[in-house]
């Protein structure tokens, strides 16, 4: 996730059109729910770092431990405005993406010797590899991303719906093909044919 901006920009702290949920602290309902797994040690310190910089109109949807090269372990956070990776160390190297550009967290078939599960965070420009403690963490993050993205793309009164050109739907179909290929349900030839049909082009030669 080499998208990087100054950590916790002021623009993400307050939205006049949204209700205020009050100052951010561990006992605020959304934060307490996201941290119900009770982080300790380095996770707890990373949690305090991102809580300090949350806006009063920004809700926390999910928080899970994640590993990202070259930083190592930290916390992956989904809010109503953005996704964040907050490393365990005390540096200001907080990585961030606005929720509007995030498409999916795609679970890969790979696990390592510690039982951690690989996933790829897909945005409008690239994908970034992360490792999570298990598939339930990936599912929780995906649910949060999907919900937040829907809030940003929902048609509001007085506004026309955004023209996405069906890119989200096409990506979901492509992600399903990738999962089928990784599990062995599709071989290389079937995968090439399916992708060609999706994009309306002739299959490439095998």
């Amino acid at each position: 996730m080499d998208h990087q901006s100054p950590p916790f920009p002021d623009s993400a702290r307050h939205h006049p059109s949204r209700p205020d949920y009050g100052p951010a602290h561990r006992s605020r309902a959304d934060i307490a729910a996201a941290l119900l797994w009770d982080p300790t040690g380095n996770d707890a310190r990373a949690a305090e770092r991102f809580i300090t910089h949350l806006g009063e109109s920004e809700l926390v949807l999910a928080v899970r431990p994640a590993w990202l090269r070259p930083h190592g372990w930290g916390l992956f956070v989904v809010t109503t405005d953005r996704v964040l990776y907050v490393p365990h160390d005390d540096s200001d190297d907080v990585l961030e993406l606005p929720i509007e550009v995030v498409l999916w967290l795609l679970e890969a078939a790979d696990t390592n010797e510690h039982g951690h599960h690989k996933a790829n965070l897909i945005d409008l420009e690239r994908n970034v590899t992360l490792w999570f403690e298990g598939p339930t963490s990936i599912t929780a993050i995906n649910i949060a991303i999907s919900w937040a993205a829907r809030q940003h793309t929902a048609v509001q009164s007085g506004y026309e719906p955004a023209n996405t050109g069906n890119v989200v739907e096409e990506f979901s179909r492509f992600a399903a093909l990738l999962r089928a290929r990784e599990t062995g349900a599709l071989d290389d030839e079937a995968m090439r044919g399916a992708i060609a049909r999706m994009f309306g082009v002739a299959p490439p030669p095998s």
Side-chain angles (χ1 to χ4, degrees), residues 15-188:
H15 293 267
S17 62
R18 297 186 197 164
D20 282 349
Y21 302 107
H25 52 78
R26 281 288 292 264
S27 299
R28 200 176 79 177
D30 60 310
I31 298 171
L35 297 176
L36 193 61
W37 51 279
D38 194 23
T40 60
N42 288 332
D43 284 337
R45 286 187 287 275
E48 291 303 325
R49 288 178 63 211
F50 81 77
I51 289 172
T52 301
H53 297 279
L54 288 171
E56 294 187 3
S57 56
E58 181 178 22
L59 287 174
V60 179
L61 303 177
V63 181
R64 291 293 188 276
W67 189 95
L68 173 65
R69 188 186 301 274
H71 308 282
W73 284 100
L75 292 182
F76 191 90
V77 184
V78 183
T79 79
T80 45
D81 295 328
R82 49 193 169 156
V83 298
L84 305 165
Y85 168 80
V86 184
H88 280 167
D89 61 47
D90 293 328
S91 72
D92 287 334
D93 197 11
V94 176
L95 304 176
E96 172 184 7
L97 286 171
I99 199 68
E100 295 93 333
V101 306
V102 180
L103 294 174
W104 203 262
L105 182 66
L106 180 64
E107 183 176 1
D110 298 344
T111 58
N112 63 19
E113 64 273 19
H114 304 293
H116 302 139
H117 286 243
K118 182 180 178 181
N120 293 306
L121 181 68
I122 315 293
D123 66 32
L124 293 176
E125 294 182 350
R126 67 207 77 187
N127 75 66
V128 177
T129 298
L130 299 110
W131 291 84
F132 291 87
E133 292 180 336
T136 55
S137 293
I138 297 172
T139 299
I141 292 296
N142 248 332
I143 291 171
I145 288 173
S146 297
W147 187 89
R150 283 198 301 272
Q151 306 316 301
H152 282 268
T153 57
V155 179
Q156 303 295 324
S157 177
Y159 293 87
E160 294 293 329
N163 180 10
T164 64
N166 295 323
V167 66
V168 175
E169 292 83 357
E170 288 186 359
F171 175 79
S172 295
R173 291 166 56 202
F174 181 63
L177 288 175
L178 288 179
R179 287 194 294 271
R181 178 66 185 87
E182 289 172 351
T183 59
L186 288 177
D187 59 21
D188 289 342

